[in-house]
Amino acid sequence: MASAFAEHIAHVDMDAFFVEVERLRRPELRGRPVVVGGGDRRGVVASASYEARAFGVHSAQPTAQARRACPNLIVVPPDHHHYGEVSEHVFEVFRSFSPLVEGLSLDEAFIDISGLRLLYEDAPSVGFAIRTEIRDRLSLPASVGIASNKLIAKLASETAKPDGLRHVPVESQLEFLHALPVRSLWGVGEASQAALDNLGVNTIGDLAAVPEEMLAKRIGAAAGHQLALLAAGIDDRAVVGDAEAKSISVEQTYQIDLHGRSEAETELFSHCDRLAGRLRRAGLASRTVSIKVRYTDFTTITRSLTLAGPSDVARDLWRAASTLAERVEWTSPVRLLGVAASSLEPAGAPLQLAVDRPAKWDDLAGAVEQVRSRFGEGKVGPARLRADPSGRRPD
């Protein structure tokens, strides 16, 4: 029987990313055919909503052609700076599940989820949790493919669109793969497609039946060998994490400014609770805690404190943040507040326990994280946050 985590690679692809980000700013665009792209005579489509795609509109298409295909099309000029900012938050979500995140673009990444086998029942549960976290925190749709290798995971996410989840078990991955059109494979362009057409190859299953020697004659030895491997579902590339994370942070900009240290400390307490969860899911512990305070005049200050030993426990992070709060002036309104963990190292290293820090806090933190991963973030939490009436709790 296959392991519940035999399919250990997730491919996450945000759906119509630029369009959906614009819809957050302009809700009136929901349900309407929209593209983000250049609106002039030489402009092209950068992103198309699924309503627009129903008319044959697609990315990289000339905008003029898209308008002819869809007369009611709404064209929104791109704001790449804003998309980059939102992308950073998307990748924060990815890295809150695993430190092994390989970004492919602003809105797409592979994630190695093998380290989550103790927190989730099976791989599909992780995919569901990733989609839920993105939706809850960012109000954006995402499609996730779960498989044993990169090739199958990416193809699975494509078949899951829009806003879906596709898990391909190891034992049925060839059945899934061979039913897809051959153009789905990496490396099949117009020239190789024409050569394969001459061989009567329409699906990946057709390709798998062609001897590699014949492929080599038609499209070259290197390309033929590569396609033969892919048609057999063979892809041994590991997820290569982006540059090692130097810090993990939680911050929020408030629509209603914070006033006074009491309100700020309640928010810091909430941030520390969320930050500890991210550290645990990433398998990391922090030696340095920082807080970030931005006032309404945009003046920003930071304060940092080094812990006695690395920790991923909310109580330890909160005690450090509370100490740092004593070094901050709280008489001016605050529009942004954040907590960051840095000097990261793998969790599980021996801790230097103080007299006032019994090991039971680590056990409690682990139990809380297990409950949250199984039943949801809101099912258990500190009493202080449960009782808080401010309504500012993020997500």
Side-chain angles (χ1 to χ4, degrees), residues 157-177:
S157 72
E158 291 175 0
T159 63
K161 287 182 172 294
D163 196 19
L165 169 67
R166 181 71 181 266
H167 167 235
V168 182
V170 172
E171 58 270 21
S172 60
Q173 68 180 25
L174 284 182
E175 178 183 356
F176 163 78
L177 179 65

Side-chain angles (χ1 to χ4, degrees), residues 6-141:
E7 301 81 38
H8 66 287
I9 294 180
H11 179 262
V12 187
D13 197 357
M14 307 299 293
D15 296 320
F17 182 57
F18 295 172
V19 169
E20 292 299 335
V21 171
E22 291 295 344
R23 283 172 166 173
L24 292 179
R25 299 196 286 192
R26 298 174 56 184
E28 71 273 13
L29 296 177
R30 295 191 182 282
R32 304 178 69 182
V34 180
V35 298
V36 170
D40 59 22
R41 203 161 44 88
R42 302 177 64 182
V44 296
V45 174
S47 177
S49 71
Y50 283 89
E51 294 84 356
R53 295 182 196 190
F55 290 87
V57 176
H58 56 82
S59 60
Q61 183 180 41
T63 305
Q65 182 181 334
R67 287 186 187 277
R68 289 194 295 272
C70 181
N72 296 323
L73 188 68
I74 301 171
V75 179
V76 179
D79 183 352
H80 292 291
H81 177 72
H82 181 58
Y83 305 149
E85 291 180 336
V86 177
S87 174
E88 290 180 4
H89 295 302
V90 169
F91 274 76
E92 283 179 6
V93 175
F94 296 165
R95 295 189 183 97
S96 73
F97 284 87
S98 170
L100 287 175
V101 175
E102 182 178 343
L104 303 179
S105 64
L106 285 178
D107 61 342
E108 180 183 6
F110 287 112
I111 307 174
D112 187 326
I113 61 173
S114 58
L116 298 172
R117 63 183 68 248
L118 298 180
L119 295 176
Y120 292 87
E121 182 179 358
D122 52 30
S125 298
V126 180
F128 179 81
I130 292 172
R131 290 182 61 243
T132 300
E133 185 77 359
I134 292 171
R135 175 70 73 175
D136 288 350
R137 284 180 49 194
L138 303 175
S139 299
L140 292 171

